[in-house]
Amino acid sequence: MTTRAQGVGFRSERGPILMALMLSTGLVAIDSTIVATAVPSIVRDVGGFESFPWLFSAYLLAQAVSVPIYGKLSDMVGRKPIILAGIGLFLLGSILCGIAWSMPALIAFRALQGLGAGAVLPVSITIAGDIYSVEERAKVQGYLASVWAVSSVVGPSLGGIFSSLGIWRGIFLVNVPLCLLAGWMLLRTLHENVERAKHRVDYAGAALLAGSLTLLILGALQGGQAWEWDSPAGIGVFAVGAALLVLFLLVERRAAEPVLPTWVVSRRLLGTTALVSFGVGAVMIGLTSYVPTFLEGALSTSPLIAGLALAALTLGWPISASQAGRLYLRIGFKPTALIGIAVTVAGLLVLALTSATPNVALIATSCFVVGLGLGLVATPTLIAAQSSVEWNERGVVTSTNMFARSIGSALGVAVFGAIANSVYATTAGGTGDAPAVVAASGAVFLAALAAGLLTVAAVLAMPAVKANAGKQAAGKPADAEPVASGVEDGKER
C-alpha cells in the first residue's frame, strides 16, 4: 500500500505524487483535443483524407479495450509498474507518430498511443483513491478535472499554432518531455509495498475481451459510415463480437483470477455507478462532438471561439467536482449525484430548446451548467465505487468505471452520428447548409438530453450509501457506511 500523509495540495507530503498524476492525466487530456485542429495539415502532408477518422477511432478502440486489462494487472502487481508502462507506450507511440510517413502508419502509431492512454488515465485515478481518504478524494478529483479544463484551451491552441507553422508533427513530439517528466516524478515519489504472490494471468480472458470489445466498438463507430447497418459486414461484426463476448463470460467463470470478475457488475453499487459513468460518457461526447460544429456551421464563428464555448463545459466540471466532497460527506453519495444529474438535465434542456436560435453566450452558459452537473455526478459515483472495495480490487473497479465511460462515448458517437446524418440526408442544403447544421445539431442535443434522462434512472437505482471519512485506514475500504438500504460498506448484504 502507498504510504499516506496528511493534507491535500501541492505543498503537502503527497503533493509531488499529485503533480505527477496531474501531469500524467494531462498527457491524455491534451492529446484528446490537440489532434483535431491539425487534421487538415496532416492530410496535406501524408494524404489519406478518406482514412483520417481512424486517427481518432484507432486511439479510442485501443484505449477502451485495454482499460479493464490494465485495471486487473494493477491489482495484481501494483499501480506503479502499470502506469509507468502506460507512459512508456504513450511515449513510444508519440515519437512514432511524430515521424510517421503515411496515414496507415500514423493510424497504427495512434493505436499504440491509445494502448498507453488505457493505462495512464484509470491507474492515475486509482492511485489517487489509494493515497487519499474519502474526504480528500473529491478535492483531488477537482485537481485532476482542472487538467481537462486547462487542456480544453491549451490543446486546440497548440494544435492551431503547430499547424499554422507547418510543423504538425510537433503535436505528437511535445509529449516526449511531458512523458519523461511524468515518469521521472512517479519513479521518485510513488512508493508501494505490494504483497508479492504468484498470480495466474488470465490470458484467454484478456484476449477474448479485447477481441469482442474491438469488434463491438468498431461496429458502433463505423456502422452507417464504412458500411450500412444492415449489410453483411454491419451485422457480422456485431455477431462475431457478441459470440466472443459470450465465450469470454464462460471462460471467466472458470478462471482462477479473471481479468474482469463477475462481481464487478453483479454488485448493485458497482453496476449502477458503471451505468452512470456510461451515461456521462454519452452526454460528454454529444456536446464535445457537436457544439463546435453547431457554432461554426450555424453562426460561422471561428474554431477558436467555438472551442472556447465548449471549454465552458470542462471549466464547470472541476469547480463542482472540487466541492462535491462537502456534499457527499454531509448527505451521501446518491443525493449528491441526484443533484448533479438534475443540474445536468437542466443544462441539456436549455441547450435543446434554444438550438433553433443559436447564440454563442447561451451555448457556452448551457455547457458550463452541464459541466457543473457532471462534476457532481461523476465524482461521487466513482468515489462510492472505489470506497466499497479493498485495495486489491480498487484497480479493476476504477478501470471498469472508466471503461463504461469510454463505451458510452463510443456508442454515443455512433448514435449521435446516425441521428445527424439522417437529418442531413433529408435536408436540401446538406452538411454545408446552416439550417441543416442547426437541425442536425438540435436533434443531437435532444438525444443527449434523452441520455441524461436515462442516467437519472441509473442514479435512482444506486443503493443509498453515505461516506464515512473517519473510518478509513490505509488499504481498507471502510469509506462507505450503510444507511437504511441493506448496504454494508458499499456492498449489498
Side-chain angles (χ1 to χ4, degrees):
M1 228 55 53
T2 309
T3 304
R4 294 179 182 268
Q6 298 299 319
V8 177
F10 299 139
R11 296 184 178 181
S12 68
E13 185 175 337
R14 294 166 294 182
I17 301 178
L18 177 58
M19 287 188 283
L21 296 180
M22 292 177 68
L23 187 56
S24 301
T25 302
L27 295 172
V28 180
I30 292 178
D31 190 81
S32 67
T33 58
I34 196 174
V35 176
T37 55
V39 164
S41 297
I42 295 173
V43 170
R44 283 195 301 268
D45 192 3
V46 301
F49 177 80
E50 68 283 354
S51 303
F52 87 81
W54 276 99
L55 290 176
F56 307 99
S57 297
Y59 181 91
L60 179 62
L61 276 170
Q63 181 182 19
V65 301
S66 61
V67 163
I69 298 170
Y70 286 129
K72 179 61 179 179
L73 289 174
S74 75
D75 286 338
M76 294 171 64
V77 303
R79 323 301 188 205
K80 187 173 183 177
I82 300 304
I83 192 171
L84 289 175
I87 292 173
L89 285 173
F90 196 87
L91 172 62
L92 178 60
S94 297
I95 294 172
L96 292 174
C97 283
I99 62 174
W101 53 90
S102 67
M103 184 61 76
L106 184 57
I107 290 170
F109 300 148
R110 281 285 288 167
L112 185 59
Q113 270 192 309
L115 287 175
V120 172
L121 191 58
V123 178
S124 293
I125 296 174
T126 304
I127 292 171
D130 290 340
I131 66 175
Y132 291 101
S133 70
V134 66
E135 183 178 12
E136 297 167 328
R137 285 177 203 162
K139 297 178 183 178
V140 173
Q141 290 296 321
Y143 277 98
L144 296 177
S146 68
V147 174
W148 291 89
V150 173
S151 299
S152 67
V153 178
V154 172
S157 300
L158 281 177
I161 291 172
F162 285 127
S163 297
S164 63
L165 294 176
I167 49 173
W168 63 265
R169 297 177 188 275
I171 69 174
F172 299 110
L173 297 179
V174 74
N175 292 327
V176 174
L178 297 178
C179 287
L180 293 175
L181 180 58
W184 176 74
M185 291 180 68
L186 286 169
L187 277 171
R188 285 195 59 197
T189 60
L190 182 60
H191 305 289
E192 293 181 308
N193 295 317
V194 181
E195 294 181 7
R196 300 298 177 184
K198 187 176 181 180
H199 295 284
R200 298 180 62 182
V201 181
D202 183 17
Y203 294 110
L208 287 170
L209 178 64
S212 65
L213 293 178
T214 296
L215 290 174
L216 293 173
I217 297 174
L218 178 65
L221 287 172
Q222 297 300 311
Q225 300 182 48
W227 50 69
E228 296 298 326
W229 290 105
D230 56 354
S231 67
I235 296 172
V237 71
F238 282 113
V240 176
L244 291 178
L245 185 60
V246 172
L247 285 175
F248 165 74
L249 294 175
L250 293 175
V251 168
E252 294 304 272
R253 293 179 63 180
R254 297 185 177 184
E257 295 187 65
V259 67
L260 190 62
T262 55
W263 57 260
V264 173
V265 291
S266 63
R267 295 180 190 173
R268 184 180 166 194
L269 177 63
L270 302 182
T272 52
T273 51
L275 286 175
V276 172
S277 188
F278 179 94
V280 169
V283 170
M284 283 287 291
I285 201 67
L287 269 60
T288 55
S289 299
Y290 286 92
V291 164
T293 301
F294 176 52
L295 291 176
E296 291 178 43
L299 297 178
S300 299
T301 59
S302 69
L304 179 60
I305 297 298
L308 290 176
L310 178 63
L313 176 72
T314 47
L315 287 174
W317 186 311
I319 291 175
S320 59
S322 63
Q323 301 301 313
R326 296 183 180 183
L327 271 178
Y328 67 62
L329 286 172
R330 181 175 299 177
I331 64 177
F333 294 115
K334 181 177 179 179
T336 303
L338 282 172
I339 293 172
I341 196 61
V343 174
T344 300
V345 168
L348 291 170
L349 182 62
V350 172
L351 191 63
L353 292 177
T354 60
S355 61
T357 55
N359 177 280
V360 175
L362 186 59
I363 296 297
T365 302
S366 299
C367 287
F368 181 74
V369 171
V370 171
L372 285 175
L374 291 176
L376 290 176
V377 175
T379 299
T381 52
L382 172 61
I383 293 175
Q386 286 184 329
S387 303
S388 68
V389 296
E390 300 280 357
W391 179 92
N392 62 348
E393 297 175 338
R394 191 170 292 146
V396 72
V397 165
T398 304
S399 65
T400 300
N401 193 278
M402 302 303 297
F403 170 69
R405 188 181 301 180
S406 296
I407 296 298
S409 295
L411 292 180
V413 165
V415 172
F416 297 146
I419 291 171
N421 289 336
S422 66
V423 174
Y424 286 132
T426 57
T427 306
T431 58
D433 186 56
V437 172
V438 170
S441 300
V444 170
F445 296 153
L446 279 174
L449 174 61
L453 292 172
L454 290 174
T455 308
V456 173
V459 176
L460 288 171
M462 283 179 60
V465 181
K466 68 178 182 178
N468 187 341
K471 287 176 64 178
Q472 185 177 5
K476 296 184 180 180
D479 300 333
E481 183 178 86
V483 292
S485 61
V487 177
E488 183 173 3
D489 288 345
K491 304 175 186 177
E492 291 140 309
R493 293 172 181 162

